[in-house]
Amino acid sequence: MKTKTLSYWCIFLLCISSNSYAQIVITNKDFSFGTTGRIGAGYSPNADGKTGRQLNLNNQGSLGGRMDQGDYVDFLPAFHFTPVVNGDSAKSIKIDMQARLSFYSGGTFLGNVDSKSNQGMIIALPEAFVEARNIMGSDWDVWAGSRWLRYDDVHIADYFYFDDHSATGWGVRHKNTRFSMFFPAAIDTAASNSTPYSYTNVISGTKSLIYRQREVLVLEQIIPFKNNNQKLKLLAEFHKVEKSGENSVEDYPSDNGWVLGAKLNSNIKTKITGSFNQISLRYGSGIANGGDGGNTQTWRTYGAPDALTKTYKDAYSLTLVEHILLNLSNKWSVNAYAVYTQSKGGAKTDNKAVDYYQREIFNKKSEFNTGLRATYYFNNWFHLLSELHFASRKDGTQNSASMTKLVLAPTIAPTAERSVWARPHIRLIAELSRYNNQAMTSLYSPFLQQSGAKRFGTYFGVRTEWWIF
């Protein structure tokens, strides 16, 4: 009897499988291969070794200009499917399967090194995910995997300032509402931030590293205005980090935090289309007070924990960003930004405090950055990019370190587009920076750390940058 029942079930499942397969028709199976990158040569005449080093202040990434960033190359293979259910094209589903293979220079030019070289090649897989959109012709989307899930950025400073949620996770979207959950924890032994995710477990009688999870819940809502020239994005996050296990060597308490933010995007009417203004305000509390070093992910906790509770209960971070692009004519485009950030960790002090690794780190910072790029189109294929940046950072109770940088970059745009987004670019780059006394004496720049205390920094280079999707 059991054998007959099993046989019936097998036949039934085969029929369902066959019937289901017949109902779904793949109308197209497309493969795409995108790539982005920046690579070339850099030279600093007044630095030791003449090595081209980034002139920006430490702990600010590319705030202050991105022309002197190091080499990188990304490859983006992707499969795209559009199944049609029961022959009804209105119920077609858009499915993307994408990965991103990333290669970064560890210190010298990317083309001169490999993974065996000292400070050579860094290889990463920041994206591998599947996303299904317009499921059964509905307004529902769903995805799972690892993504570079980030939106508006201040391009001339390479700064994704408001909603960078790049990590492993999953999410759903219905029209203008998106809910996502991310899990950024990793096994680490010297965390770049002050919230260690790994601890030593001895439950099996031997020491082994395991990690405590951070759960990040994100709710985003876009509110479009009737004239379609503006849209408001609202952001809410909740973060939770589990405590270390009962059999762990370290004693890390559980902790949490939250984020609220709003971003207004406005289209601006100019003679040439594409002009806009973006302004955003974001506040993070507790362990959600990240980030630093040019990264803006809120899970990159800043500062030290409270000395008694070992938590970040009173930590906070406030970030205000203004970003504008004006395509004034077929001769001129102007792109400008301003960024202000103030952050404090969980410790009581405004200066230095001890973190989980017994390191003495700064517990409070304030930053102000502003910059402008003017693009002059000599003709369709030859553009002149000029930039002026100012960057300032105050760590703890120290004096503010500051840098002013002037950039001139004659650029060939082979696509013959009079647009700030035309790529690829081939650029000749000339930069001159001036540091204040605090930046000089504390060697507060990659350039100064190599060349010593100098008032002026220089950088010359020839680089290409491309985006092909």
Side-chain angles (χ1 to χ4, degrees), residues 42-53 109 447 450-452 454:
Y43 176 77
S44 292
N46 64 332
D48 286 3
K50 311 298 182 186
T51 306
R53 296 300 303 275
F109 303 134
F447 169 83
Q450 178 166 310
S451 63
K454 293 185 177 179

Side-chain angles (χ1 to χ4, degrees), residues 69-230:
Q69 280 183 318
D71 296 346
Y72 87 94
V73 177
D74 283 353
F75 298 109
L76 293 87
F79 289 94
H80 311 280
F81 300 91
T82 309
V84 176
V85 181
N86 292 329
D88 186 353
S89 60
K91 293 183 178 180
S92 62
I93 308 168
K94 298 178 181 179
I95 304 173
D96 295 320
M97 304 168 62
Q98 180 173 302
R100 181 183 295 260
L101 311 175
S102 298
F103 303 85
Y104 303 91
S105 170
T108 53
F109 303 134
L110 189 57
N112 299 343
V113 296
D114 55 34
S115 58
K116 296 178 293 184
S117 304
N118 184 20
Q119 299 184 29
M121 184 184 298
I122 300 168
I123 301 173
L125 185 67
E127 280 196 323
F129 69 92
V130 171
E131 182 177 29
R133 291 174 285 124
N134 307 117
I135 298 174
M136 296 291 289
S138 71
D139 294 315
W140 286 94
D141 302 346
V142 63
W143 69 272
S146 179
R147 299 187 67 173
W148 271 15
L149 193 60
R150 53 192 193 179
Y151 301 93
D152 295 328
D153 74 314
V154 178
H155 169 68
I156 62 176
D158 197 23
Y159 185 69
F160 290 83
Y161 55 89
F162 181 76
D163 41 14
D164 185 353
H165 298 120
S166 304
T168 295
W170 60 270
V172 295
R173 183 178 71 87
H174 183 262
K175 293 185 178 179
N176 291 321
T177 305
R178 183 190 297 269
F179 175 80
S180 309
M181 192 169 182
F182 301 95
F183 304 88
I187 293 179
D188 52 10
T189 55
S192 58
N193 60 65
S194 298
T195 307
Y197 294 126
S198 63
Y199 60 91
T200 308
N201 182 35
V202 292
I203 192 170
S204 62
T206 59
K207 292 183 178 181
S208 60
L209 284 175
I210 62 174
Y211 68 91
R212 55 180 186 148
Q213 192 59 264
R214 179 190 284 243
E215 302 161 13
V216 181
L217 288 76
V218 179
L219 181 64
E220 298 165 288
Q221 178 68 46
I222 294 177
I223 303 174
F225 293 90
K226 291 183 179 180
N227 58 13
N228 292 322
N229 287 326
Q230 289 184 314

Side-chain angles (χ1 to χ4, degrees), residues 8 13-14 36 48 85 104 106 113 138 142 165 180 206 218 230 250 271 286 297 308 313 339 342 360 388 427:
Y8 291 149
L13 290 173
L14 284 172
T36 66
D48 286 3
V85 181
Y104 303 91
V113 296
S138 71
V142 63
H165 298 120
S180 309
T206 59
V218 179
Q230 289 184 314
E250 300 85 2
K271 185 175 182 180
Q297 292 99 336
L308 297 177
K313 179 181 178 182
V339 178
Q342 181 171 301
E360 194 175 40
L388 180 64
R427 304 168 178 153

Side-chain angles (χ1 to χ4, degrees), residues 88 98 131 164 230 302 331 355 383 428 431 436 458:
D88 186 353
Q98 180 173 302
E131 182 177 29
D164 185 353
Q230 289 184 314
Y302 172 81
K331 285 290 187 180
D355 70 358
H383 308 164
L428 174 64
E431 299 186 348
N436 73 344
T458 57

Side-chain angles (χ1 to χ4, degrees), residues 194-196 212 214 241-244 250-256 286-287 301-315 345-348 353-359 363:
S194 298
T195 307
R212 55 180 186 148
R214 179 190 284 243
V241 173
E242 299 300 324
K243 67 179 181 179
S244 54
E250 300 85 2
D251 182 18
Y252 300 142
S254 62
D255 212 347
N256 57 65
I287 60 170
T301 307
Y302 172 81
D306 181 81
L308 297 177
T309 65
K310 301 298 183 183
T311 69
Y312 285 82
K313 179 181 178 182
D314 297 323
K348 297 293 190 293
V354 176
D355 70 358
Y356 282 114
Y357 291 101
Q358 302 305 307
R359 301 172 301 189
N363 191 58

